[in-house]
Coordinates of all heavy atoms in Angstrom, one line a residue:
M1 N 41.0 -37.2 -10.6 CA 39.8 -37.9 -10.0 C 39.0 -36.8 -9.3 O 39.5 -36.1 -8.4 CB 40.3 -39.0 -9.1 CG 39.1 -39.7 -8.6 SD 39.6 -41.3 -7.8 CE 39.1 -41.0 -6.2
A2 N 37.9 -36.7 -9.8 CA 36.9 -35.7 -9.2 C 36.1 -36.2 -8.0 O 35.7 -37.4 -8.1 CB 35.9 -35.1 -10.3
I3 N 35.9 -35.5 -7.0 CA 35.2 -35.9 -5.9 C 33.7 -35.5 -6.1 O 33.4 -34.3 -6.3 CB 35.7 -35.3 -4.6 CG1 37.1 -35.8 -4.4 CG2 34.7 -35.7 -3.4 CD1 37.8 -35.1 -3.1
N4 N 32.8 -36.4 -6.0 CA 31.4 -36.1 -6.3 C 30.7 -36.0 -4.9 O 30.4 -36.9 -4.2 CB 30.7 -37.2 -7.1 CG 29.3 -36.8 -7.5 OD1 28.8 -35.9 -7.2 ND2 28.7 -37.8 -8.2
N5 N 30.3 -34.8 -4.5 CA 29.6 -34.5 -3.3 C 28.1 -34.3 -3.5 O 27.8 -33.3 -4.1 CB 30.2 -33.3 -2.5 CG 31.6 -33.5 -1.9 OD1 31.9 -34.6 -1.7 ND2 32.4 -32.5 -2.0
P6 N 27.3 -35.2 -3.2 CA 25.8 -34.9 -3.6 C 25.4 -33.9 -2.5 O 25.9 -33.6 -1.5 CB 25.2 -36.3 -3.2 CG 26.1 -36.9 -2.2 CD 27.5 -36.5 -2.6
P7 N 24.3 -33.1 -3.0 CA 23.7 -32.0 -2.2 C 23.2 -32.7 -0.9 O 22.7 -33.8 -0.9 CB 22.8 -31.3 -3.0 CG 22.4 -32.4 -4.0 CD 23.5 -33.2 -4.2
N8 N 23.2 -31.9 0.2 CA 22.7 -32.3 1.5 C 21.2 -32.2 1.4 O 20.6 -31.1 1.3 CB 23.2 -31.4 2.5 CG 22.9 -32.0 3.9 OD1 22.3 -33.0 4.1 ND2 23.4 -31.3 4.9
P9 N 20.4 -33.4 1.5 CA 19.0 -33.3 1.3 C 18.4 -32.7 2.6 O 17.2 -32.1 2.5 CB 18.6 -34.8 1.2 CG 19.6 -35.5 1.8 CD 21.0 -34.8 1.6
T10 N 19.0 -32.7 3.7 CA 18.4 -32.2 5.0 C 19.4 -31.2 5.6 O 20.2 -31.7 6.3 CB 18.0 -33.3 6.0 OG1 19.2 -34.0 6.2 CG2 16.9 -34.2 5.4
P11 N 19.2 -29.9 5.3 CA 20.2 -29.0 5.8 C 20.0 -29.0 7.2 O 18.9 -29.1 7.8 CB 19.9 -27.7 5.0 CG 18.5 -27.9 4.5 CD 18.3 -29.3 4.4
S12 N 21.2 -28.6 8.0 CA 21.1 -28.5 9.4 C 20.4 -27.3 9.9 O 19.8 -27.3 11.0 CB 22.5 -28.7 10.0 OG 23.3 -27.6 9.5
A13 N 20.5 -26.2 9.2 CA 19.9 -24.9 9.6 C 18.8 -24.5 8.6 O 19.1 -24.2 7.5 CB 21.0 -23.8 9.7
T14 N 17.6 -24.7 9.1 CA 16.5 -24.3 8.2 C 16.2 -22.8 8.4 O 16.3 -22.3 9.5 CB 15.2 -25.1 8.6 OG1 14.9 -24.9 9.9 CG2 15.4 -26.5 8.3
P15 N 15.9 -22.1 7.3 CA 15.5 -20.6 7.5 C 14.3 -20.5 8.4 O 13.3 -21.2 8.3 CB 15.3 -20.1 6.2 CG 15.1 -21.4 5.4 CD 15.6 -22.5 6.0
A16 N 14.4 -19.4 9.2 CA 13.3 -19.1 10.1 C 12.2 -18.5 9.3 O 12.4 -17.8 8.3 CB 13.8 -18.2 11.2
A17 N 11.0 -18.7 9.8 CA 9.7 -18.0 9.1 C 9.9 -16.4 9.4 O 10.3 -16.0 10.4 CB 8.5 -18.6 9.7
K18 N 9.4 -15.8 8.4 CA 9.5 -14.4 8.5 C 8.4 -13.8 9.4 O 7.3 -14.3 9.5 CB 9.1 -13.6 7.1 CG 10.2 -13.8 6.1 CD 9.9 -13.2 4.8 CE 10.9 -13.3 3.7 NZ 10.7 -12.5 2.6
P19 N 8.8 -12.9 10.3 CA 7.7 -12.3 11.3 C 6.7 -11.6 10.5 O 6.9 -11.1 9.4 CB 8.6 -11.4 12.1 CG 9.8 -11.0 11.3 CD 10.1 -12.3 10.4
P20 N 5.6 -11.5 11.1 CA 4.5 -10.7 10.3 C 4.9 -9.2 10.2 O 5.6 -8.7 11.0 CB 3.3 -10.8 11.2 CG 3.8 -11.2 12.6 CD 5.1 -11.9 12.3
K21 N 4.5 -8.7 9.0 CA 5.0 -7.3 8.8 C 4.2 -6.3 9.5 O 2.9 -6.3 9.5 CB 4.7 -7.1 7.2 CG 5.3 -5.8 6.7 CD 5.1 -5.8 5.2 CE 5.6 -4.5 4.6 NZ 5.4 -4.4 3.2
P22 N 4.9 -5.5 10.3 CA 4.1 -4.5 11.1 C 3.4 -3.5 10.1 O 4.0 -3.1 9.1 CB 5.2 -3.9 12.0 CG 6.5 -4.1 11.3 CD 6.3 -5.4 10.5
Y23 N 2.4 -3.0 10.6 CA 1.6 -1.9 9.8 C 1.1 -2.3 8.4 O 1.0 -1.5 7.6 CB 2.5 -0.6 9.7 CG 3.1 -0.1 11.0 CD1 4.4 -0.1 11.2 CD2 2.1 0.3 12.0 CE1 4.9 0.4 12.4 CE2 2.7 0.9 13.2 CZ 3.9 0.9 13.4 OH 4.5 1.4 14.6
A24 N 0.9 -3.6 8.2 CA 0.5 -4.2 7.0 C -0.9 -3.7 6.6 O -1.1 -3.3 5.6 CB 0.5 -5.7 7.0
R25 N -1.8 -3.6 7.8 CA -3.1 -3.1 7.5 C -3.1 -1.6 7.0 O -3.8 -1.1 6.1 CB -4.0 -3.2 8.7 CG -5.4 -2.8 8.5 CD -6.2 -3.1 9.8 NE -6.3 -4.5 10.1 CZ -6.5 -4.9 11.3 NH1 -6.8 -4.1 12.2 NH2 -6.5 -6.2 11.5
L26 N -2.2 -0.8 7.6 CA -2.1 0.6 7.3 C -1.6 0.7 5.9 O -2.2 1.6 5.1 CB -1.2 1.3 8.3 CG -0.9 2.8 8.0 CD1 -2.1 3.7 8.1 CD2 0.3 3.3 8.8
E27 N -0.6 0.0 5.5 CA -0.1 0.1 4.2 C -1.1 -0.4 3.1 O -1.2 0.2 2.0 CB 1.2 -0.8 4.0 CG 2.3 -0.2 4.8 CD 3.5 -0.9 4.8 OE1 3.6 -2.0 4.0 OE2 4.5 -0.7 5.6
K28 N -2.0 -1.3 3.5 CA -3.0 -1.8 2.5 C -4.0 -0.6 2.3 O -4.4 -0.4 1.2 CB -3.7 -3.0 3.1 CG -4.9 -3.5 2.2 CD -5.6 -4.7 2.9 CE -6.4 -4.2 4.0 NZ -7.2 -5.4 4.5
W29 N -4.4 0.0 3.4 CA -5.4 1.2 3.3 C -4.8 2.4 2.6 O -5.6 3.1 1.9 CB -5.9 1.5 4.7 CG -7.0 0.6 5.1 CD1 -7.0 -0.4 6.0 CD2 -8.4 0.7 4.5 NE1 -8.2 -1.0 6.1 CE2 -9.1 -0.4 5.2 CE3 -9.0 1.5 3.7 CZ2 -10.4 -0.6 5.0 CZ3 -10.4 1.2 3.4 CH2 -11.1 0.1 4.0
I30 N -3.5 2.6 2.7 CA -2.9 3.7 2.0 C -3.1 3.5 0.5 O -3.6 4.5 -0.2 CB -1.4 3.8 2.3 CG1 -1.2 4.3 3.7 CG2 -0.6 4.6 1.3 CD1 0.2 4.2 4.2
W31 N -2.9 2.3 -0.1 CA -3.1 2.2 -1.4 C -4.4 2.1 -1.9 O -4.8 2.5 -3.0 CB -2.2 0.9 -1.9 CG -0.8 1.2 -1.7 CD1 0.1 0.5 -0.8 CD2 0.0 2.1 -2.3 NE1 1.3 1.1 -0.9 CE2 1.3 2.1 -1.8 CE3 -0.2 3.1 -3.3 CZ2 2.4 2.9 -2.3 CZ3 0.9 3.9 -3.7 CH2 2.2 3.8 -3.2
I32 N -5.3 1.5 -1.0 CA -6.7 1.6 -1.4 C -7.3 3.0 -1.4 O -8.0 3.4 -2.4 CB -7.5 0.8 -0.3 CG1 -7.2 -0.7 -0.4 CG2 -9.1 1.1 -0.3 CD1 -7.9 -1.5 0.6
L33 N -6.8 3.9 -0.6 CA -7.3 5.3 -0.6 C -6.7 6.0 -1.8 O -7.4 6.8 -2.5 CB -6.9 6.0 0.7 CG -7.6 5.6 1.9 CD1 -7.0 6.2 3.2 CD2 -9.0 5.9 1.8
I34 N -5.4 5.8 -2.1 CA -4.9 6.5 -3.3 C -5.5 6.1 -4.6 O -6.0 6.9 -5.3 CB -3.4 6.3 -3.3 CG1 -2.7 7.0 -2.1 CG2 -2.7 6.7 -4.6 CD1 -1.2 6.7 -1.9
Y35 N -5.5 4.7 -4.8 CA -6.1 4.2 -6.1 C -7.5 4.5 -6.2 O -8.1 4.9 -7.3 CB -5.7 2.7 -6.4 CG -4.4 2.5 -6.7 CD1 -3.5 1.8 -6.0 CD2 -3.8 3.2 -7.9 CE1 -2.2 1.6 -6.3 CE2 -2.5 3.0 -8.2 CZ -1.6 2.2 -7.4 OH -0.4 1.9 -7.8
G36 N -8.4 4.3 -5.1 CA -9.8 4.6 -5.1 C -10.0 6.1 -5.3 O -11.0 6.4 -6.1
G37 N -9.3 6.9 -4.6 CA -9.4 8.4 -4.8 C -9.1 8.8 -6.2 O -9.9 9.6 -6.7
L38 N -8.0 8.3 -6.7 CA -7.7 8.8 -8.1 C -8.7 8.3 -9.1 O -9.0 9.0 -10.1 CB -6.3 8.3 -8.5 CG -5.2 9.0 -7.8 CD1 -3.8 8.4 -8.1 CD2 -5.1 10.5 -8.0
F39 N -9.3 7.0 -8.9 CA -10.2 6.5 -9.8 C -11.5 7.4 -9.8 O -12.0 7.8 -10.8 CB -10.6 5.0 -9.5 CG -11.7 4.5 -10.4 CD1 -11.4 4.2 -11.7 CD2 -13.0 4.3 -9.8 CE1 -12.4 3.7 -12.4 CE2 -14.0 3.8 -10.5 CZ -13.7 3.5 -11.9
A40 N -11.9 7.8 -8.6 CA -13.1 8.6 -8.4 C -12.8 10.0 -9.0 O -13.7 10.6 -9.6 CB -13.5 8.7 -7.0
F41 N -11.7 10.5 -8.8 CA -11.3 11.8 -9.4 C -11.4 11.8 -10.9 O -12.0 12.6 -11.5 CB -9.9 12.2 -8.9 CG -9.4 13.5 -9.4 CD1 -9.9 14.7 -8.8 CD2 -8.5 13.7 -10.4 CE1 -9.5 15.9 -9.2 CE2 -8.0 14.9 -10.8 CZ -8.6 16.1 -10.2
I42 N -10.8 10.7 -11.5 CA -10.9 10.8 -13.0 C -12.3 10.4 -13.5 O -12.7 11.0 -14.5 CB -9.9 9.6 -13.5 CG1 -8.4 10.0 -13.1 CG2 -10.1 9.3 -15.1 CD1 -7.9 11.2 -13.7
L43 N -13.0 9.6 -12.8 CA -14.4 9.4 -13.1 C -15.2 10.7 -13.0 O -16.1 11.0 -13.9 CB -15.0 8.3 -12.2 CG -16.4 7.9 -12.5 CD1 -16.5 7.1 -13.8 CD2 -16.9 7.0 -11.4
G44 N -15.0 11.5 -12.0 CA -15.6 12.8 -11.8 C -15.2 13.7 -13.0 O -16.2 14.5 -13.5
I45 N -14.0 13.8 -13.4 CA -13.6 14.6 -14.5 C -14.3 14.1 -15.8 O -14.9 15.0 -16.6 CB -12.1 14.6 -14.8 CG1 -11.4 15.2 -13.6 CG2 -11.6 15.2 -16.2 CD1 -9.9 15.2 -13.7
A46 N -14.4 12.9 -16.0 CA -15.1 12.3 -17.3 C -16.6 12.6 -17.2 O -17.2 12.9 -18.3 CB -14.9 10.8 -17.4
T47 N -17.1 12.4 -16.0 CA -18.6 12.7 -15.9 C -18.9 14.3 -16.0 O -20.0 14.6 -16.5 CB -19.1 12.3 -14.5 OG1 -18.8 10.8 -14.4 CG2 -20.6 12.3 -14.4
G48 N -18.0 15.1 -15.6 CA -18.1 16.5 -15.7 C -18.4 17.1 -17.1 O -18.9 18.2 -17.3
R49 N -18.0 16.2 -18.0 CA -18.2 16.7 -19.5 C -19.7 16.7 -19.9 O -20.1 17.5 -20.7 CB -17.4 15.8 -20.4 CG -15.9 16.0 -20.2 CD -15.2 15.2 -21.2 NE -13.7 15.4 -20.9 CZ -12.8 14.8 -21.7 NH1 -13.1 14.0 -22.7 NH2 -11.6 15.1 -21.5
T50 N -20.4 15.8 -19.3 CA -21.9 15.8 -19.5 C -22.7 16.4 -18.4 O -23.8 17.0 -18.8 CB -22.3 14.3 -19.7 OG1 -22.1 13.5 -18.6 CG2 -21.6 13.6 -21.0
D51 N -22.4 16.3 -17.2 CA -23.1 16.9 -16.1 C -22.1 17.6 -15.1 O -21.5 16.8 -14.4 CB -24.0 15.8 -15.4 CG -24.9 16.4 -14.4 OD1 -25.0 17.6 -14.2 OD2 -25.6 15.6 -13.8
T52 N -22.1 18.8 -15.2 CA -21.0 19.5 -14.4 C -21.1 19.3 -12.9 O -20.2 19.0 -12.2 CB -21.0 21.1 -14.7 OG1 -20.8 21.2 -16.1 CG2 -19.9 21.7 -14.0
A53 N -22.3 19.5 -12.4 CA -22.6 19.3 -10.9 C -22.2 18.0 -10.4 O -21.6 17.7 -9.4 CB -23.9 19.6 -10.6
L54 N -22.6 16.9 -11.2 CA -22.3 15.5 -10.8 C -20.8 15.2 -10.9 O -20.2 14.6 -10.0 CB -23.2 14.5 -11.7 CG -22.9 13.1 -11.3 CD1 -23.4 12.8 -9.9 CD2 -23.7 12.3 -12.3
G55 N -20.2 15.8 -11.9 CA -18.8 15.6 -12.0 C -18.0 16.1 -10.9 O -17.1 15.4 -10.3
W56 N -18.4 17.4 -10.5 CA -17.7 18.0 -9.3 C -18.0 17.2 -8.0 O -17.1 17.0 -7.2 CB -18.2 19.4 -9.1 CG -17.3 20.3 -10.1 CD1 -17.8 20.9 -11.1 CD2 -16.0 20.7 -9.8 NE1 -16.8 21.7 -11.8 CE2 -15.7 21.6 -11.0 CE3 -15.0 20.5 -8.9 CZ2 -14.4 22.2 -11.0 CZ3 -13.8 21.1 -9.0 CH2 -13.5 22.0 -10.1
S57 N -19.2 16.7 -7.9 CA -19.5 16.0 -6.7 C -18.9 14.6 -6.6 O -18.8 14.0 -5.5 CB -21.1 15.8 -6.5 OG -21.6 15.0 -7.6
I58 N -18.3 14.1 -7.6 CA -17.6 12.9 -7.6 C -16.1 13.2 -7.6 O -15.4 12.5 -6.8 CB -17.8 12.0 -8.9 CG1 -19.3 11.6 -8.9 CG2 -17.0 10.8 -9.0 CD1 -19.8 10.9 -10.2
A59 N -15.6 14.2 -8.2 CA -14.2 14.6 -8.3 C -13.6 15.0 -7.1 O -12.5 14.6 -6.7 CB -13.9 15.5 -9.5
V60 N -14.3 15.9 -6.5 CA -13.8 16.6 -5.2 C -13.6 15.6 -4.1 O -12.5 15.6 -3.5 CB -14.7 17.8 -4.8 CG1 -14.3 18.3 -3.4 CG2 -14.6 18.9 -5.8
P61 N -14.6 14.7 -3.8 CA -14.3 13.7 -2.6 C -13.2 12.7 -3.1 O -12.4 12.3 -2.2 CB -15.7 13.0 -2.5 CG -16.7 13.9 -3.0 CD -16.0 14.7 -4.1
G62 N -13.2 12.4 -4.4 CA -12.2 11.5 -4.9 C -10.8 12.0 -4.6 O -9.8 11.4 -4.2
G63 N -10.6 13.4 -4.9 CA -9.4 14.1 -4.7 C -9.0 14.1 -3.2 O -7.9 14.0 -2.9
I64 N -10.0 14.4 -2.4 CA -9.8 14.4 -0.9 C -9.3 13.1 -0.5 O -8.3 12.9 0.4 CB -11.0 14.9 -0.2 CG1 -11.2 16.4 -0.6 CG2 -10.9 14.8 1.3 CD1 -12.6 16.9 -0.1
V65 N -9.9 11.9 -0.9 CA -9.5 10.6 -0.4 C -8.1 10.3 -0.9 O -7.3 9.7 -0.1 CB -10.5 9.6 -1.0 CG1 -10.1 8.2 -0.8 CG2 -11.9 9.7 -0.3
A66 N -7.7 10.7 -2.1 CA -6.4 10.5 -2.6 C -5.4 11.2 -1.8 O -4.3 10.7 -1.5 CB -6.3 10.8 -4.1
V67 N -5.7 12.5 -1.5 CA -4.7 13.3 -0.7 C -4.6 12.7 0.7 O -3.5 12.6 1.2 CB -5.2 14.7 -0.6 CG1 -4.5 15.5 0.4 CG2 -5.1 15.4 -2.0
A68 N -5.6 12.1 1.2 CA -5.6 11.4 2.6 C -4.7 10.3 2.4 O -3.9 10.0 3.4 CB -7.0 11.0 3.0
G69 N -4.7 9.5 1.4 CA -3.8 8.4 1.1 C -2.3 8.8 1.1 O -1.5 8.2 1.7
F70 N -2.1 10.0 0.5 CA -0.7 10.5 0.4 C -0.3 11.0 1.7 O 1.0 10.9 2.1 CB -0.6 11.6 -0.6 CG -0.7 11.1 -2.1 CD1 -1.7 11.5 -2.8 CD2 0.3 10.3 -2.6 CE1 -1.7 11.1 -4.2 CE2 0.3 9.8 -3.9 CZ -0.8 10.2 -4.7
V71 N -1.2 11.6 2.5 CA -0.8 12.0 3.9 C -0.5 10.8 4.7 O 0.5 10.9 5.6 CB -2.0 12.8 4.5 CG1 -1.7 13.1 6.0 CG2 -2.1 14.1 3.7
L72 N -1.2 9.7 4.6 CA -0.9 8.5 5.3 C 0.5 7.9 5.0 O 1.1 7.3 5.9 CB -1.9 7.4 5.1 CG -3.2 7.7 5.9 CD1 -4.3 6.6 5.6 CD2 -3.0 7.7 7.4
I73 N 1.0 8.1 3.7 CA 2.3 7.7 3.4 C 3.3 8.5 4.4 O 4.4 8.0 4.8 CB 2.7 8.0 1.9 CG1 1.9 7.0 1.1 CG2 4.1 7.8 1.7 CD1 2.1 7.1 -0.4
Y74 N 3.1 9.8 4.4 CA 4.0 10.6 5.3 C 3.8 10.1 6.8 O 4.9 10.0 7.5 CB 3.6 12.1 5.2 CG 4.4 12.9 6.2 CD1 5.7 13.2 5.9 CD2 3.9 13.4 7.3 CE1 6.5 14.0 6.8 CE2 4.6 14.2 8.3 CZ 5.9 14.4 7.9 OH 6.7 15.1 8.9
V75 N 2.7 9.9 7.3 CA 2.5 9.4 8.6 C 3.2 8.0 8.8 O 3.9 7.8 9.8 CB 1.0 9.3 8.9 CG1 0.8 8.5 10.2 CG2 0.3 10.6 9.0
R76 N 3.0 7.1 7.8 CA 3.8 5.9 7.9 C 5.3 6.0 8.0 O 6.0 5.2 8.7 CB 3.3 5.0 6.8 CG 4.2 3.6 6.6 CD 3.9 2.8 7.9 NE 4.8 1.6 7.8 CZ 5.9 1.4 8.4 NH1 6.4 2.4 9.3 NH2 6.7 0.3 8.4
S77 N 5.8 7.0 7.2 CA 7.3 7.1 7.3 C 7.8 7.6 8.6 O 9.0 7.5 8.9 CB 7.6 8.2 6.2 OG 7.3 9.5 6.5
R78 N 6.9 8.2 9.4 CA 7.4 8.7 10.7 C 7.1 7.7 11.9 O 7.6 7.9 13.0 CB 6.5 10.0 11.1 CG 6.9 11.2 10.1 CD 8.2 11.6 10.3 NE 8.6 12.4 9.2 CZ 9.9 12.5 8.8 NH1 10.9 11.9 9.5 NH2 10.3 13.2 7.8
L79 N 6.4 6.6 11.6 CA 6.2 5.6 12.6 C 7.5 4.7 12.7 O 8.2 4.5 11.7 CB 5.0 4.7 12.2 CG 3.7 5.3 12.2 CD1 2.6 4.4 11.6 CD2 3.3 5.8 13.6
P80 N 7.8 4.2 13.9 CA 8.9 3.3 14.0 C 8.7 1.9 13.3 O 7.5 1.5 13.1 CB 9.0 3.0 15.5 CG 7.6 3.3 16.1 CD 7.1 4.3 15.1
N81 N 9.7 1.3 12.9 CA 9.7 0.0 12.2 C 9.0 -1.1 13.0 O 8.3 -2.0 12.4 CB 11.0 -0.5 11.7 CG 11.4 0.4 10.4 OD1 10.6 1.0 9.8 ND2 12.7 0.5 10.2
T82 N 9.2 -1.1 14.3 CA 8.7 -2.2 15.1 C 7.7 -1.5 16.1 O 8.0 -0.6 16.8 CB 9.7 -2.9 16.0 OG1 10.4 -1.8 16.8 CG2 10.7 -3.6 15.1
P83 N 6.3 -1.9 16.0 CA 5.4 -1.4 16.9 C 5.5 -1.8 18.3 O 6.1 -2.8 18.6 CB 4.0 -1.9 16.3 CG 4.4 -3.1 15.6 CD 5.8 -3.0 15.0
T84 N 5.2 -0.8 19.2 CA 5.4 -1.2 20.6 C 4.1 -1.9 21.1 O 3.0 -1.5 20.6 CB 5.6 0.0 21.5 OG1 4.5 0.9 21.2 CG2 6.9 0.7 21.0
K85 N 4.2 -2.8 22.0 CA 3.0 -3.5 22.5 C 2.5 -3.0 23.7 O 3.0 -2.3 24.5 CB 3.3 -5.0 22.7 CG 3.6 -5.7 21.4 CD 3.8 -7.1 21.6 CE 4.0 -8.0 20.3 NZ 4.2 -9.3 20.4

């Protein structure tokens, strides 16, 4: 004879809500800078085939912005996991 135990519809211990992610704004800006910079860099390379000066003026700032995003990854890796108030 098998015992049929129905699932408990109201568990006694509900999972707690996740705390807000620290440094979420910084991480968002890191990826915006990296992807935006790489997009501008590639756009500058493509534009440089028809107009060299315009291509360089788009590609160089795009590369600088992408490098800034990569530097922020390093900065984020050195920050503590929990920010101090």
Side-chain angles (χ1 to χ4, degrees):
M1 182 164 115
I3 299 174
N4 188 4
N5 290 330
N8 189 358
T10 55
S12 59
T14 58
K18 290 184 179 180
K21 189 174 181 182
Y23 306 117
R25 184 178 298 159
L26 176 64
E27 292 174 8
K28 178 181 74 172
W29 276 104
I30 287 171
W31 294 112
I32 289 172
L33 290 173
I34 290 174
Y35 284 120
L38 289 176
F39 178 74
F41 183 73
I42 297 300
L43 185 65
I45 290 174
T47 304
R49 293 182 179 182
T50 57
D51 187 2
T52 307
L54 181 61
W56 278 104
S57 65
I58 295 173
V60 170
I64 291 170
V65 168
V67 168
F70 288 117
V71 168
L72 283 178
I73 288 178
Y74 175 76
V75 169
R76 171 61 186 102
S77 73
R78 296 293 163 204
L79 292 175
N81 284 337
T82 56
T84 58
K85 291 185 179 183

